[in-house]
Amino acid sequence: MAHSKLKNLAYPMGECSFVSSAAVEAALSSSNCNSVAVFPGFCDVHVHFREPGFSYKETVATGSLASARGGYTAVCTMPNLNPVPDSVENLEQQLAIIRRDACIHVYPYGAITVGEKGEELADLEGMAPNIKGYSDDGRGVQSDEMMLAAMRRAKALGLPIVAHCEVNELLRGGYIHDGEYAKAHGHRGICSESEWGQIARDLELVRQTGVKYHVCHISTKESVELIRKAKAEGLDVTCETGPHYLIMDDSELQEDGWFKMNPPIRGREDKEALLQGVLDGTIDMIATDHAPHSAEEKSKGLEKSAFGIVGIETAFPALYTYLVKPGILSFERLRELLVTNPRKRFGIPMGSDYSVWDLEACEAVDPNQFISKGHATPFAGRMLYGKCLLTVCDGKIVYQQEDHHG
Ligand code: DOR
Ligand code: ZN
């Protein structure tokens, strides 16, 4: 006989035929909540798991388990590692760690250029069978010729260019948005053009090459407009933004490295344009840019801390609390943003992948409870709805709430 609580089981993003009622019952009976919501496995196309090279910041084991706790069953990892996956041999080092330690599906990107230095193309052909696309994330490809050559080869190989867009010349030592907060507090700002200037350059190259092109973490209103026009023109372009860009603006910054990431949280008009882009389909997906660093690296204030915040354990609760619950974003659209669109764009299959949540649970974000080794998040202390009880990947339980909180 079914567990009596199963009548309080909901599928807010739509039915998932592959859900095991036994697993859901187990989640229900082991928690003290009255109802649960089941979601198809989320997919994040932009995370940093830091292995090989920087395991003190995060490992594939901690990053993938943290993702499972966030309801994610598939992620794509960025190549700013040591060694950088820019050759078959270097990529194999990363793949071996993933095969050994990942509890969910982890798909690497290969670098566009050797060492992400922007000087020489990586072995795009050799890496192609084992990656989801090419990225020099963490920095923009400065040379037009280099990007054009990369796009031509990526086009021939049928894989996307996944672009971190940033014009180095325009950075001028900035580290937060070049807006009201920077002015008021005497900080050096990063102008919006450093992002959209390179998107505009790339779109011209996409026009010439026809490559599949995906823009990482867009943060400015001008970027939204450029991509809207490119789509109307019929270019094969997609893009992502992050929860923090949709929920916060620079008026909420604090004098703390936990508010520092690249690109930075922008102004109110940017936030509103991003939301509009999410609603009208210009922005295809939400990715976290989960970028863990050590406590020490994040403890040096806005100017001196490393760029990057964690996000994989708070993405769904933040989006649910700030956008879905108030009626700004529908669950249906959130499914497209977190599940269908990223999986379709990057060819990431869905097995029996789902997570089970108590949506009534509301807690202050406590980074000490994170599974991730990184604790820096601007959402620390914010009250968020949604607690993940269980995550299943390929029919196997990969996260269960009790495991973590004992
Ligand atoms: O904030 C960021 N952190 N932006 C990036 O582009 C890179 C990332 C990192 O690797 O820490
Ligand atoms: Zn980036």
Side-chain angles (χ1 to χ4, degrees), residues 112 121-125 128 134 141 143-162 202 204-213:
I112 298 174
L121 283 186
D123 182 3
L124 307 192
E125 279 80 11
Y134 303 100
V141 175
S143 149
D144 305 357
E145 292 72 36
M146 189 63 59
M147 193 51 137
L148 178 62
M151 284 187 182
R152 288 208 170 111
R153 304 244 305 255
K155 166 72 180 174
L157 293 160
L159 285 172
I161 292 284
V162 179
D202 281 0
E204 182 48 42
L205 302 177
V206 173
R207 226 168 258 131
Q208 290 174 34
T209 58
V211 73
K212 271 189 197 158
Y213 179 69

Side-chain angles (χ1 to χ4, degrees), residues 46 48 78 135-139 163-165 216-217 240 262-263 289:
H46 192 143
H48 298 265
M78 285 300 174
S135 183
D136 270 4
D137 186 60
R139 49 182 93 167
H164 169 116
C165 289
C216 294
H217 43 55
E240 68 191 44
N262 188 23
D289 194 3

